[in-house]
Amino acid sequence: MSRSWKITAFAARPVVEAALVAHEDVIAWDPEMVLSGSEIAEDKPEDWRLEVWLPRKPDRVDKAAVAALFADGAPALTIEELPETDWVTQSQQGLEPIRAGRFHVHTPEHAPLAVAGVRDFVIPASRAFGTGQHATTAGCLAMLTHMKRQGVVVRNLADIGTGTGLLAFAALDLWPQALATASDIDDVCVGVVEENAGLNAVPMGAGSGELVMAVADGMAHPVLQVRGPYDLLIANILAGPLIELAPHFADALVPGGQLLLAGLLETQEQMVRAACRRAGLRLAARLVNGDWSILWLRKRTGVRARSSRPGQLPDWAKHW
């Protein structure tokens, strides 16, 4: 237990959402500064606040880092010292459970669902738990469930930019005999993934039904290369890296392999899809959760692909 501080900025919803997206692209962001964006009240859905928790009194550098997230000038920043508490727990408030597809994801402050046919995952807030990915995480969980019900078979999978490890855990739950690899550019995620794996009884290791963790920038890492090619790649990151990595994803997939992409705004979807088409990847299904697009693509098998509209998700997959 220790003293903690909070920086708050009030702005319109699109401004706060843009700041959250900008934060995901800051390489040198201090991992002790945890962000959250939320509406001020249910009856004011367009009035939002950005909150930043710190385990210390914010200095000039901290305030400048928060202000820099706002492209058109930062709103007024308020700074307050919080009562003596666990600052990580404080930052978790407002992280409501995710219910998507066959999964229920919650922080330790919420109870498991404990319903037959639904897999509960407990994921504590941590340096790798990004609130900006909450909607995209839900979309990926729903899409993975849909892929399984559509008959997709996965023997070898990788989750690129895994963060907490959650999507790799979910994929292993759906395809329990698969080889699984998770990677992230941030080495702090190694400990986070290992801790979360232990909390959720996900075995770490290199064998069937186990998860290997690697620190990697994109696909250029010996572990990712030697364990490929993959039946399924998952990447819930950002539109820019998705566009850049599209040909590398295609190279790492078996013919007919599956690619699940998220972290892109709906306004960025056409650019991402264009990059994927150039790499020989074709859309199988898509869904939109709020402002975020989730895309399921397939690698062409060498036979000329038929032109067809992407499949639509059933109603069960759309409940967030």
Side-chain angles (χ1 to χ4, degrees), residues 154-159 167-168 171-172 175 178-182 211 227 230-234:
V154 175
R155 300 179 182 87
N156 192 7
L157 67 95
D159 179 13
L167 296 180
L172 266 179
W175 295 281
L179 296 173
T181 309
L211 180 65
R227 287 175 63 85
Y230 300 95
D231 304 303
L232 169 64
L233 287 176
I234 305 165

Side-chain angles (χ1 to χ4, degrees), residues 86-264:
D86 182 339
W87 69 277
V88 173
T89 300
Q90 184 79 16
S91 73
Q92 290 184 96
Q93 295 179 1
L95 287 181
E96 295 299 318
I98 294 173
R99 174 70 177 91
R102 63 166 285 164
F103 301 104
H104 176 255
V105 187
H106 61 96
T107 60
E109 288 65 38
H110 295 86
L113 201 58
V115 172
V118 175
R119 176 66 155 93
D120 282 294
F121 286 115
V122 57
I123 304 291
S126 71
R127 297 175 186 175
F129 192 88
T131 57
Q133 291 190 334
H134 206 62
T136 59
T137 299
C140 288
L141 294 172
M143 190 67 88
L144 285 168
T145 305
H146 177 61
M147 293 165 70
K148 174 72 173 184
R149 295 196 176 187
Q150 291 294 107
V152 170
V153 175
V154 175
R155 300 179 182 87
N156 192 7
L157 67 95
D159 179 13
I160 309 301
T162 191
T164 62
L166 172 61
L167 296 180
F169 300 167
L172 266 179
D173 183 74
L174 292 167
W175 295 281
Q177 298 304 311
L179 296 173
T181 309
S183 71
D184 201 282
I185 194 172
D186 190 346
D187 59 5
V188 75
C189 293
V190 175
V192 171
V193 169
E194 290 175 348
E195 178 182 352
N196 290 340
L199 288 172
N200 293 282
V202 176
M204 301 293 294
S208 175
E210 298 177 334
L211 180 65
V212 165
M213 179 67 195
V215 178
D217 182 0
M219 299 299 295
H221 190 281
V223 169
L224 290 171
Q225 293 171 359
V226 75
R227 287 175 63 85
Y230 300 95
D231 304 303
L232 169 64
L233 287 176
I234 305 165
N236 182 12
I237 44 178
L238 293 169
L242 292 178
I243 292 170
E244 181 181 350
L245 288 169
H248 303 288
F249 289 152
D251 288 343
L253 285 168
V254 299
Q258 320 294 326
L259 176 63
L260 176 56
L261 300 182
L264 60 145

Side-chain angles (χ1 to χ4, degrees), residues 18-47:
L20 289 169
V21 172
H23 158 254
E24 298 289 344
D25 208 26
V26 178
I27 297 175
W29 185 263
D30 184 344
E32 290 192 325
M33 297 173 63
V34 177
L35 275 73
S36 172
S38 61
E39 60 188 30
I40 296 173
E42 289 187 7
D43 59 345
K44 297 180 178 180
E46 296 305 312
D47 294 337

Side-chain angles (χ1 to χ4, degrees), residues 53-64:
W53 284 268
L54 304 89
R56 62 180 185 274
K57 184 177 181 178
D59 58 19
R60 178 179 56 82
V61 174
D62 297 329
K63 290 182 281 187

